[in-house]
Amino acid sequence: MRIALVQLASSTDSAANRDLVGARLGDLDSSLDLVVLPEATMHDFGAIDHDLAAVAEPLDGPFVATIVDQARRLGATVVAGMFERPGPDGRGDLPFNTLVVAGPDGSLLDTYRKIHLYDSFGYRESERLSAGDVRPVTIDVEGVRTGLMTCYDLRFPEMGRSLVDAGAELFVVPSAWVAGEHKLHHWRTLLTARAVENTVAVAAAAQGGKRYTGHSLIVDAWGSVLGEAGDGDDLVQASVEPADIAKARDVNPSLSNRRIDA
């Protein structure tokens, strides 16, 4: 499976961000199977008083249309983060922090609403966004069962276990990992830990720029880094082989050796 992580810095101009997505993905070729963009690609979080509800879009809005069109053009699965306008389901007025998955045929394959909101390091994402239902979301990408998580979800190992128990061999982690003391170390360590403890590959596309850590990573099921971005706009590409994941699980059968029930 050929994977590309597109690291970018989105702004609070949604139209400009759609143009940016078109420009960045327009440079990619049709050899890719999976393209991952960061959390909040549609629209940056902005200042703490920036009203995300006012800019949230429905799943049939212009951002999803852009992602679907690019997936069709590339013949690849594309995953990207957006703020989803709440529907008539009684969940309140706050939008969801949502990953959308577009298939190579130009269809919207699935969505994942972020479960663990970033109420940490002095920030309260839950004051601006609604949490999604607690359910693992996996998709099929070229025969590889792929689990979805977003940014702060990475700090919860049980999230990874739930995805593995749903069959995941690869984790996709779009993120806007806020920069700060210790944060890059946490980012690298947690991504590697999720790969090693679950014997999965991990593909994590991060926002770059001054506010965020950047350093998008692709890690194999052994915990080896296959590719890493810097802190600005960047592109990381690598191949993940299902046979290598199977070999890691054969050599290190820790999943089948578990004795403590979830």
Side-chain angles (χ1 to χ4, degrees), residues 10-261:
S10 63
S11 69
T12 54
D13 183 333
S14 296
N17 293 333
R18 292 194 298 273
D19 290 343
L20 177 61
V21 168
R24 293 294 304 277
L25 270 60
D27 292 335
L28 303 180
D29 62 47
S30 59
S31 67
L32 296 165
D33 300 301
L34 175 64
V35 178
V36 187
L37 293 106
E39 175 185 23
T41 294
M42 184 204 87
H43 191 100
D44 185 48
F45 285 88
I48 192 67
D49 59 351
H50 184 58
D51 185 3
L52 296 177
V55 300
E57 295 184 10
L59 294 177
D60 59 357
F63 178 75
V64 174
T66 296
I67 299 302
V68 164
D69 286 347
Q70 289 296 328
R72 182 188 300 110
R73 184 186 64 79
L74 290 168
T77 300
V78 179
V79 181
M82 66 173 292
F83 299 123
E84 178 194 352
R85 186 180 300 165
D89 56 4
R91 295 295 298 273
D93 297 326
L94 295 178
F96 296 100
N97 187 336
T98 298
L99 301 181
V100 294
V101 183
D105 62 351
S107 63
L108 180 60
L109 292 179
D110 213 334
T111 63
Y112 164 66
R113 292 170 170 176
K114 187 178 181 181
I115 293 172
H116 300 97
L117 298 182
Y118 182 56
D119 288 359
S120 188
F121 289 87
Y123 186 87
R124 290 193 59 82
E125 187 177 2
S126 63
E127 294 180 350
R128 308 177 70 193
L129 296 165
S130 293
D133 292 333
V134 178
R135 67 178 184 97
V137 176
T138 64
I139 57 172
D140 182 88
V141 182
E142 294 297 314
V144 177
R145 183 53 51 181
T146 300
L148 304 179
M149 61 172 71
T150 304
C151 201
Y152 191 52
D153 286 331
L154 185 62
R155 292 186 180 272
F156 300 87
E158 62 270 25
M159 177 82 177
R161 281 292 196 246
S162 71
L163 292 170
V164 162
D165 288 342
E169 299 174 287
L170 167 68
F171 293 168
V172 166
V173 194
S175 300
W177 198 264
V178 178
E181 187 177 9
H182 309 301
K183 296 297 291 297
L184 179 56
H185 174 60
H186 289 189
W187 170 248
R188 287 176 171 145
T189 301
L190 289 166
L191 288 169
T192 304
R194 295 298 86 85
V196 171
E197 71 193 5
N198 295 295
T199 49
V200 297
V202 177
Q207 291 262 2
K210 294 181 179 179
R211 183 177 184 182
Y212 302 107
T213 300
H215 288 266
S216 300
L217 282 170
I218 301 176
V219 183
D220 69 15
W222 305 91
S224 298
V225 175
L226 303 181
E228 180 173 356
D231 56 10
D233 289 354
D234 213 336
L235 177 68
V236 178
Q237 298 188 69
S239 292
V240 169
E241 300 300 333
D244 189 57
I245 298 169
K247 182 178 180 181
R249 291 183 170 183
D250 182 57
V251 172
N252 174 25
S254 57
L255 292 176
S256 60
N257 290 339
R258 286 185 291 173
R259 298 182 63 196
I260 300 173
D261 292 333

